[in-house]
Amino acid sequence: MNKSAFRKSAGAVALVSAAALVLAGCASDGGEAGSGNGKITLTVATFNDFGYTDALLKEYSDAHPNVTVVHNRAATSNDARANYFQKLGKSGLADIEAIEVDWLPEVMKYSDMLAPVPEKLHDRWLDWKVNAATDSEKNLIGYGTDIGPEAICYRGDLFAEAGLPTDRAEVTALLTGGWDKYFEVGNEYTTKTGKPFFDSAGGTYQGMINQVEAAYENPKTGDVTATENPDVRKIYDEVLASSKTQSAKLGQWSDDWNAGLADGAFATMLCPGWMLGVIEGNAKNVTGWDIANVFPGGGGNWGGSYLTVPAKGKNVEAAQELADWLTAPEQQIKAFSNSGNFPSQNEALTNATLLEATNEYFNNAPIGSIFSERAQAVTVSPFKGEKYFQINDAMQKALTRVEEGTQDADTSWKQWVSEVKAIK
């Protein structure tokens, strides 16, 4: 799964068109933004909650009174995605369009239809955030908004039952290492309690495969290499071997998985920053959840978004200025305060407001410092080509077949190989 799954399940209101705010534009290079009289309208299209409140946008309007900004917000990323690809390269898109990382492989095919981000801004973001949205011509096509650095969320009360450490720093030390260490601790937990250690093979596999630079396709040729990549088979075998005794076998986002967050069905899960709201929302009365500042194998990212500026927009230069402002470190910190979206800006990651942020539900965990360190621990930006999501979806189904007991691991792998070869 990915962040869009969370956004679909969040129950956000259907399409929202926020009240227009009168904002002013200042043009680049000394020119004046807008048409003849200097007054223009800019539209910003997002989905769910990017943290762009009326109050935030008013800050821009107070300084620039000649531009009217209309914020249109879709309920889910799926709604926004359908509109984006229907109109990209034609007409009808907003001046600024938000995209999600899950669409990025497809967006990159049409990078020439997007206005590049000015080169002077490229060092603003984490390197891996920039690299993921840079095309073969070295054009960065998206202004980075949020990211999903991963830690490990754990049930301290369940760890105590197993005689394992519960203190956040001690759990971090306990889990530090590779995936073999994570599964080793899981084996100790299940041996002592007879209960599952993690939620599902599919969710755990995703964290592991996201650390492989080119899991399924050759970045240079686009050729599918998934079935021949030894790393893929190794991860498949490793997660399923541990799944036999350590997995709760609860598919993420299912009703049983939601209930499992509250009833102790599993003791740990891979946990990007935006997952905190999902856990708290499904387990309001549970007091045992905590966060360890660690991720097996070093670092990992799950989720995130960008702002893009369609090249055929009527006010490209003014839109670039607004996209620049919205993704500047100051605004990223305000978006984090407004909605919890974790910044992708280097400067924002060292901001005191971020680093001092805590979460009462998670035993007052210092979420700002934890996820800032987790973001900087990410070293791999996995290549996700045109066929990545079809291949990965088939893999998730292969893992599910094994966990449900409808196929053994080898038979399910062979079916996956056949399905990958059939992808056109």
Side-chain angles (χ1 to χ4, degrees):
M1 292 297 295
N2 46 50
K3 191 174 179 181
S4 61
F6 158 60
R7 286 179 164 158
K8 286 193 287 184
S9 68
V13 294
L15 185 64
V16 175
S17 181
L21 297 173
V22 178
L23 308 179
C26 53
S28 300
D29 302 322
E32 180 162 16
S35 51
N37 60 6
K39 294 183 179 296
I40 62 172
T41 296
L42 292 178
T43 50
V44 180
T46 66
F47 40 89
N48 295 126
D49 193 352
F50 271 60
Y52 299 159
T53 62
D54 288 354
L56 176 64
L57 295 176
K58 187 176 184 299
E59 293 183 33
Y60 196 80
S61 71
D62 288 343
H64 310 90
N66 294 332
V67 178
T68 299
V69 172
V70 178
H71 181 196
N72 295 324
R73 192 175 71 182
T76 73
S77 65
N78 281 352
D79 295 334
R81 179 185 179 281
N83 180 71
Y84 190 85
F85 288 111
Q86 181 182 14
K87 299 174 181 177
L88 184 61
K90 303 172 186 175
S91 61
L93 284 179
D95 295 288
I96 297 174
E97 288 274 348
I99 65 167
E100 194 163 44
V101 292
D102 290 347
W103 323 347
L104 199 53
E106 192 170 1
V107 172
M108 297 305 289
K109 293 192 298 182
Y110 308 106
S111 62
D112 59 328
M113 298 181 183
L114 299 167
V117 177
E119 189 171 347
K120 65 182 181 181
L121 299 179
H122 287 200
D123 62 358
R124 167 185 279 183
W125 296 278
L126 290 161
D127 288 345
W128 57 266
K129 185 71 171 178
V130 171
N131 293 340
T134 299
D135 68 13
S136 60
E137 301 298 319
K138 305 302 181 183
N139 291 315
L140 175 62
I141 56 84
Y143 297 74
T145 56
D146 61 313
I147 52 177
E150 294 201 80
I152 296 292
C153 286
Y154 69 97
R155 285 281 298 265
D157 53 338
L158 300 183
F159 269 43
E161 291 179 14
L164 295 174
T166 61
D167 175 77
R168 190 177 303 122
E170 292 180 353
V171 173
T172 295
L174 176 70
L175 295 174
T176 295
W179 289 98
D180 55 343
K181 179 65 172 178
Y182 179 70
F183 294 132
E184 177 185 319
V185 175
N187 184 60
E188 181 179 357
Y189 175 84
T190 56
T191 298
K192 290 181 176 179
T193 66
K195 298 178 181 179
F197 185 61
F198 57 84
D199 55 350
S200 67
T204 306
Y205 171 91
Q206 196 60 52
M208 300 171 76
I209 205 68
N210 277 344
Q211 293 176 328
V212 178
E213 191 167 355
Y216 300 147
E217 297 155 281
N218 184 312
K220 294 182 179 180
T221 65
D223 293 341
V224 173
T225 57
T227 61
E228 302 165 1
N229 188 338
D231 289 335
V232 176
R233 184 61 196 251
K234 179 182 177 182
I235 291 171
Y236 176 87
D237 288 339
E238 187 174 6
V239 73
L240 285 178
S242 296
S243 167
K244 292 177 182 178
T245 57
Q246 297 183 32
S247 175
K249 301 177 176 61
L250 299 178
Q252 290 187 325
W253 316 111
S254 66
D255 290 341
D256 288 342
W257 181 83
N258 289 334
L261 292 169
D263 64 20
F266 43 89
T268 67
M269 63 181 295
L270 311 189
C271 197
W274 52 264
M275 184 68 81
L276 305 187
V278 178
I279 295 173
E280 182 175 359
N282 284 287
K284 293 183 176 64
N285 298 320
V286 175
T287 59
W289 279 107
D290 209 325
I291 310 165
N293 184 4
V294 66
F295 194 72
N301 182 76
W302 178 12
S305 303
Y306 295 85
L307 300 181
T308 64
V309 176
K312 286 198 171 183
K314 294 181 180 180
N315 302 289
V316 170
E317 194 171 313
Q320 288 177 304
E321 292 170 10
L322 180 55
D324 176 349
W325 185 85
L326 285 170
T327 58
E330 298 83 1
Q331 279 60 255
Q332 290 216 337
I333 291 299
K334 291 166 187 172
F336 169 75
S337 297
N338 291 337
S339 63
N341 286 1
F342 204 81
S344 58
Q345 280 264 7
N346 287 306
E347 185 177 331
L349 292 173
T350 62
N351 182 278
T353 299
L354 180 76
L355 296 179
E356 294 169 6
T358 61
N359 188 302
E360 182 179 2
Y361 176 85
F362 287 86
N363 195 27
N364 293 312
I367 58 172
S369 61
I370 286 175
F371 287 109
S372 181
E373 289 185 30
R374 291 296 90 221
Q376 295 177 68
V378 176
T379 58
V380 173
S381 179
F383 175 71
K384 297 182 178 182
E386 183 179 347
K387 298 175 182 177
Y388 177 92
F389 292 101
Q390 294 179 73
I391 297 170
N392 199 61
D393 182 61
M395 172 59 78
Q396 288 291 332
K397 291 174 181 175
L399 295 166
T400 298
R401 289 192 297 269
V402 178
E403 289 212 312
E404 290 179 343
T406 59
Q407 288 183 343
D408 61 45
D410 193 52
T411 302
S412 192
W413 171 269
K414 290 176 180 176
Q415 180 174 328
W416 174 76
V417 169
S418 297
E419 291 170 349
V420 170
K421 290 181 178 179
I423 294 174
K424 302 299 183 183

